[in-house]
Amino acid sequence: MESTRSKWGWILASLFILVWSAFPIVWIVMLSFKDPSEIGNIKGFFPKQWTWENYSTVFSTDLFTAALINSIGISLIATFIGVVFATLVAYAIARLEFPGKKTILSFALAIAMFPVVSLVGPLFDLWRNVGLYDTWPGLIIPYISFALPLAIWTLSAFFREIPWEMEQAAQVDGATTWQAFRKVIVPLAAPGVFTAAILVFFFCWNDFVFGISLTSTNRARPVPAALAFFTGESFFQQPTTAICAAAVVVTVPVVAIVLLFQRRIVAGLTSGAVKG
């Protein structure tokens, strides 16, 4: 009897959390299919008249399309560079013994917890002086700086779980240290690398503070920052439904990545949780 109550309690709690988490997403999707005239005039959760007008408005706006290209390019470049460096650093931390190894990990964790807002002012002045303001590198550099610690922590925990003997066996067979790392260790660490890459990509894709502070035009402004300037089809139209459509478009890549690589994400995040 007690086990049945406990089971139903867990089911109800899970359903409550699911509804609580999914409701804002479903609400935004419903708003994206509503006619702009319905906002504030017609009450109801579901659209009275389903329309694709908001999506056509979004993709016909240069502000959004330019920002979408910026977000994709900047996020992919920052993710690639960050994961490559994080893989090398995490491997060295997991495999080599050298003074200050724990200090490096502690310093990386401190950087990850450092408030981003406190750096916006100095970066704004520095970037304007060196010519990086409103450019792709001006966003890629801070993205890498803040994404590296998270990737290093994720990958170092994964590398520690890989048996050292496998690398030694490859070297006995004639492989160099680099060949053993590239052909043996990296393939085994693929779930951790995927996890680190996805986490770094999410950080870059969702950033708003750097995007709104270090850009001023469509040259490098990413999507989260561009939505703050979105006015819809005209300056006299309430842009709520168009912004919701843009938010749905921005969310689709994230959801698709999670659904495609969910097993690798779980494997990478839990790699260092269990010893043995």
Side-chain angles (χ1 to χ4, degrees), residues 39-106:
I39 302 299
N41 298 322
I42 302 176
K43 296 182 179 180
F45 183 78
F46 295 100
K48 296 295 182 182
Q49 182 179 358
W50 294 75
T51 177
W52 289 93
E53 178 185 351
N54 299 310
Y55 290 93
S56 61
T57 300
V58 163
F59 282 106
S60 63
T61 305
D62 293 337
L63 174 67
F64 179 79
T65 54
L68 189 61
I69 294 172
N70 291 335
S71 285
I72 294 173
I74 292 171
S75 299
L76 289 178
I77 294 173
T79 299
F80 177 77
I81 297 174
V83 170
V84 169
F85 277 101
T87 301
L88 298 175
V89 173
Y91 174 78
I93 291 174
R95 289 298 193 221
L96 305 179
E97 291 295 334
F98 56 90
K101 183 168 73 171
K102 293 184 179 179
T103 304
I104 293 176
L105 282 175
S106 301

Side-chain angles (χ1 to χ4, degrees), residues 208-247:
F208 176 79
V209 177
F210 286 131
I212 199 74
S213 306
L214 302 181
T215 61
S216 59
T217 66
N218 294 343
R219 245 174 93 193
R221 184 178 288 146
V223 169
L227 290 182
F229 299 93
F230 196 68
T231 57
E233 193 172 358
S234 69
F235 288 100
F236 304 100
Q237 184 186 72
Q238 192 173 7
T240 304
T241 55
I243 291 176
C244 290

Side-chain angles (χ1 to χ4, degrees), residues 137-159:
L139 290 178
I140 291 173
I141 294 172
Y143 285 175
I144 294 174
S145 301
F146 277 89
L148 263 177
L150 179 62
I152 291 172
W153 272 89
T154 302
L155 287 172
S156 59
F158 199 91
F159 279 131

